[in-house]
Amino acid sequence: DAQVRVSEVLEVAYALDQSGHVRAHGFPPRPGQQRINLYDADFSANSMFVDARATGRLTWSSVFFSELNQQLTIAFSFPDDDWTFIGEIGVDGLITNLKKIAGNSTCLVMVVDADGHVILDQDGKYLDRKIDASSLPAMGEFARTRKTVFSEFDFDDEKMQGVLSPIEETNWTLVYAEPVSVANATSRLISRATVARGTGSGRKAR
């Protein structure tokens, strides 16, 4: 059977022919793991294959539990003239990247789908929660232009404010936000510090 080289980012990758059967596949090498043979497996009814062939565009899934890599996963598929390529990415690695974006701040970093459902967050605890889109005054503009906007919105029974930025080649959005109460407190502290510095400078001038 044919094998394909797989990046460490991918847990699984496979190529399907026009009938939806696997003709090449690959897994990153893992010590002690038994080799899996997917050759000729039938994915013709798989939604990733069906959607990619129907739209002719790159398609992303929601989070699901993969039987192939035994973990929560996001998959993508993209069609070519005669082939459809599908890759699976483990959620754990993506969450690690979101943690790096968040750093040590109080900010919440999330990826949400077109319906406002959380696909990923840096703590992995808000999966499938939903942003109240009706509370997003800038959502209409964002939906039309797919350009980065700043907005306030309701999430998990708390008023939030942050930046919404589109993720290219998907209908997903990266949200970088924090509670309004925290942001206001931070702004007050910065304002007080600025005033204090100005007052101190004035005294030195006299």
Side-chain angles (χ1 to χ4, degrees):
D1 59 322
Q3 297 285 312
V4 293
R5 290 179 61 87
V6 179
S7 163
E8 291 184 0
V9 174
L10 297 178
E11 300 292 338
V12 184
Y14 34 98
L16 313 179
D17 63 16
Q18 290 183 336
S19 68
H21 288 80
V22 176
R23 296 303 177 216
H25 62 85
F27 302 84
R30 294 186 179 90
Q33 185 182 58
Q34 187 176 358
R35 182 170 175 268
I36 301 174
N37 184 9
L38 285 179
Y39 186 75
D40 207 35
D42 185 359
F43 281 76
S44 60
N46 184 285
S47 61
M48 298 298 295
F49 172 76
V50 173
D51 292 347
R53 298 312 301 183
T55 63
R57 299 195 304 267
L58 176 68
T59 302
W60 289 85
S61 74
S62 298
V63 176
F64 66 97
F65 183 81
S66 171
E67 296 292 340
L68 292 174
N69 63 62
Q70 294 294 299
Q71 64 173 300
L72 289 176
T73 300
I74 290 177
F76 65 89
S77 60
F78 62 94
D80 197 359
D81 292 339
D82 298 319
W83 300 92
T84 300
F85 300 93
I86 297 180
E88 296 185 4
I89 304 173
V91 164
D92 287 348
L94 296 175
I95 288 176
T96 297
N97 288 334
L98 293 184
K99 284 182 180 292
K100 291 179 181 177
I101 295 173
N104 296 322
S105 71
T106 58
C107 288
L108 174 62
V109 183
M110 304 181 290
V111 176
V112 302
D113 65 15
D115 296 320
H117 288 100
V118 177
I119 298 172
L120 291 170
D121 68 89
Q122 83 263 33
D123 296 319
K125 66 180 183 180
Y126 294 114
L127 297 184
D128 210 35
R129 299 276 186 90
K130 188 174 183 179
I131 287 178
D132 181 5
S134 65
S135 68
L136 280 164
M139 183 52 82
E141 174 192 351
F142 180 75
R144 288 192 303 274
T145 65
R146 293 294 289 171
K147 292 182 178 179
T148 299
V149 297
F150 178 86
S151 184
E152 291 189 358
F153 57 91
D154 296 326
F155 178 73
D156 202 35
D157 298 324
E158 190 160 18
K159 182 72 72 176
M160 306 285 287
Q161 69 176 27
V163 175
L164 290 75
S165 184
I167 300 176
E168 292 184 6
E169 302 293 340
T170 73
N171 60 355
W172 297 350
T173 301
L174 179 67
V175 179
Y176 189 93
E178 64 180 345
V180 169
S181 57
V182 174
N184 288 342
T186 301
S187 296
R188 286 194 295 271
L189 285 173
I190 293 174
S191 296
R192 289 170 184 170
T194 301
V195 170
R197 284 198 300 270
T199 301
S201 300
R203 285 174 179 171
K204 288 180 181 178
R206 290 194 297 271

